[in-house]
Amino acid sequence: MRLEGKKVIAFVEQDFEDLELWYPVLRLREEGAQVDFVGKTANQIYYGKYGVPAESDYALADVSATDYHAILVPGGWAPDKLRRYPEVIQLVQSMNKDKKPIGQICHAGWVLISADILQNKQVTSTPGIKDDMTNAGATWVDKPVVVDGHLISSRRPPDLPVYMKTFSDILSKQ
């Protein structure tokens, strides 16, 4: 269990992309990581675009980046809501400052854009937000997974296996 002792925040909000939240969470837990669902409020059930529920373990205001080794931002429509919370932006910026792994897939790039951490970074995302990513100063690449330092980005659900292998490899070295 190579990720034993690692703690990861998985943001959750209504309309997350079901696979882009649950697949990474289950893979990390299989490898021994503790993954906490963090949403606007604690103990709230959030539903994915296809109806799969996820209950938040903690409220955004109750967690600190110093207590975690990495962060995951799922795609779907949830990132458009998540980026509006100052606590989300602060957590992402703190993780970025400390060079802790930040995983983002599909539309999750919106959160990193709002956190203003993409200048001169190489990333990928769903092609639908390619212009948003480049307008934020990033170089967008059409590949299943792109790593730029501690930022790990991916495009869409079919890329999940290589995305999570890469994310787990990086997290294991933290």
Side-chain angles (χ1 to χ4, degrees):
M1 304 263 279
R2 70 180 175 147
L3 299 181
E4 191 77 37
K6 302 293 185 185
K7 290 179 64 180
V8 180
I9 291 172
F11 285 135
V12 65
E13 178 53 84
Q14 299 297 348
D15 298 319
F16 59 85
E17 172 61 49
D18 304 61
L19 282 173
E20 293 169 358
L21 175 71
W22 278 105
Y23 184 98
V25 168
L26 294 173
R27 286 291 299 120
L28 292 173
R29 287 178 177 169
E30 283 175 345
E31 293 209 46
Q34 174 184 326
V35 183
D36 295 330
F37 288 126
V38 178
K40 183 168 174 54
T41 59
N43 306 313
Q44 179 175 336
I45 296 177
Y46 296 89
Y47 292 94
K49 288 171 39 179
Y50 305 104
V52 178
E55 184 174 352
S56 56
D57 299 300
Y58 299 100
L60 290 166
D62 297 334
V63 297
S64 170
T66 59
D67 295 330
Y68 289 87
H69 299 95
I71 199 161
L72 284 172
V73 187
W77 304 126
D80 190 35
K81 297 169 185 150
L82 288 165
R83 66 183 176 163
R84 301 174 196 194
Y85 302 133
E87 299 94 341
V88 167
I89 300 305
Q90 186 273 324
L91 284 165
V92 170
Q93 289 173 337
S94 292
M95 290 282 196
N96 185 62
K97 180 179 173 231
D98 293 339
K99 300 199 182 324
K100 294 180 180 178
I102 299 172
Q104 67 94 19
I105 186 167
C106 199
H107 286 84
W110 279 336
V111 172
L112 279 61
I113 290 167
S114 293
D116 195 26
I117 65 168
L118 294 181
Q119 190 68 40
N120 300 316
K121 297 295 182 182
Q122 190 174 77
V123 295
T124 195
S125 66
T126 179
I129 66 167
K130 173 186 175 183
D131 292 346
D132 300 330
M133 302 290 268
T134 58
N135 288 336
T139 299
W140 189 87
V141 180
D142 189 13
K143 290 173 41 177
V145 67
V146 173
V147 175
D148 191 329
H150 60 287
L151 300 181
I152 305 100
S153 57
S154 193
R155 299 177 302 189
R156 56 184 74 96
D159 301 329
L160 281 163
V162 67
Y163 168 57
M164 286 318 298
K165 167 121 178 44
T166 304
F167 185 90
S168 297
D169 288 348
I170 290 169
L171 179 58
S172 73
K173 296 174 184 152
Q174 289 290 306

